[in-house]
């Protein structure tokens, strides 16, 4: 149910801090563009209205900071990602369950994922997921990779050393990483019958779901529940950027501060900031 009010509260809090303490650095996160673009699609009327609402809020924020400091501060605006339209969803845990690799346990409120008994399970996040294989068993890793290679909605399947392609060869990464095509995303669902879904599946409960659940954006205040329909989601992000429409922006209120190319990485924002503060790289 988060809307412009949530971002307004953040902006108001920043202005309060600016007036009271006048710090020389702010990191202000305004999440407003996430909601409508995922719920209705990035090209929807609702997403356009969200842009207009945020534009108005930013204008007010800039004016109030000017008043608090008596001058215009340097503003850097960095988009975290671009939401792209999606028309397809993959449920890796259902596929793993069909293959006999994911186990569930019966509870009074439905089927719960049994982590201990599962040979593999997927932790999903928008357009990619980490598949964790029990004991990093090489044969099961090969089976998992084979299950998803060439499957509709899956663009890349990375196992072992292949994960280094995106610097995901990390001890906390899954043994297999699944990356969606730009028009698809991944849901955490493991049940085949909605009647057997655990009770928390219909609630906003980020701690018990193995991955991000954007269907929560369709929470119905009347029923105090969310529908179990992953096709309701119309926007997502996270697939490697290959086309211009997958790119977001970085803006500066002063010219000449940003590189004159479109190949900036998220981590490059750090270098821009420390350069402006006169801090030597370490």
């Amino acid at each position: 149910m988060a809307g412009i009010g949530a971002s307004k509260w953040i902006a108001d809090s920043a202005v309060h801090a600016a007036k009271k303490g006048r710090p020389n650095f702010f990191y202000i996160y305004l999440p407003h563009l996430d909601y409508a673009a995922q719920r209705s699609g990035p090209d929807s009327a609702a997403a356009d209205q969200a842009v207009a609402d945020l534009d108005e809020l930013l204008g007010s924020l800039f004016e109030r900071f000017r008043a608090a400091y008596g001058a215009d501060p340097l503003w850097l605006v960095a988009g975290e990602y671009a939401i792209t339209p999606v028309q397809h969803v993959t449920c890796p845990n259902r596929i793993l369950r069909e293959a006999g690799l994911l186990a569930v346990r019966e509870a009074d409120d439905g089927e719960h994922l049994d982590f201990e008994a599962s040979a593999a399970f997927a932790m999903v996040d928008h357009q990619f997921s980490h598949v964790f294989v029990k004991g990093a068993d090489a044969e099961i890793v090969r089976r998992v990779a084979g299950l998803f290679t060439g499957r509709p909605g899956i663009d890349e399947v990375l196992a072992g050393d292949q994960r280094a392609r995106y610097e995901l060869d990390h001890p906390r990464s899954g043994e297999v990483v699944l990356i969606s095509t730009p028009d698809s995303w991944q849901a955490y669902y493991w049940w085949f019958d909605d009647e057997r879904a655990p009770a928390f599946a219909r609630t906003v409960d980020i701690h018990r779901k193995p991955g991000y659940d954007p269907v929560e954006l369709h929470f119905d205040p009347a029923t105090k529940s969310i529908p179990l329909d992953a096709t309701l989601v119309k926007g997502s992000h996270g697939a490697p950027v290959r086309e211009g429409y997958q790119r977001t922006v970085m803006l500066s209120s002063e010219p000449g501060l940003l590189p004159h190319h479109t190949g900036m990485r998220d981590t490059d924002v750090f270098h821009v900031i420390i350069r402006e503060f006169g801090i030597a790289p370490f």
Side-chain angles (χ1 to χ4, degrees), residues 18-68:
K19 291 177 178 177
K20 185 175 181 179
R22 294 180 60 133
N24 63 6
F25 178 75
F26 271 88
Y27 179 87
I28 304 171
Y29 174 55
L30 299 173
H32 184 60
L33 297 184
D34 247 357
Y35 312 128
Q38 289 187 71
R39 185 188 299 114
S40 307
D43 301 321
S44 65
D48 289 344
Q49 183 60 52
V51 172
D53 292 341
L54 184 63
D55 182 65
E56 182 178 350
L57 177 61
L58 287 174
S60 171
L61 179 66
F62 297 161
E63 289 178 3
R64 290 185 290 166
F65 260 69
R66 184 184 302 118

Side-chain angles (χ1 to χ4, degrees), residues 97 102-118 190-200:
R97 185 177 178 182
L102 181 141
V104 300
R105 57 180 177 81
E106 293 288 340
D108 292 341
D109 68 337
E111 297 173 346
H112 288 244
L113 199 160
D114 191 329
F115 294 98
E116 185 177 0
S118 294
W190 57 77
W191 55 90
F192 300 125
D193 181 353
D194 286 349
E195 293 298 317
R196 302 305 305 145
F200 64 74

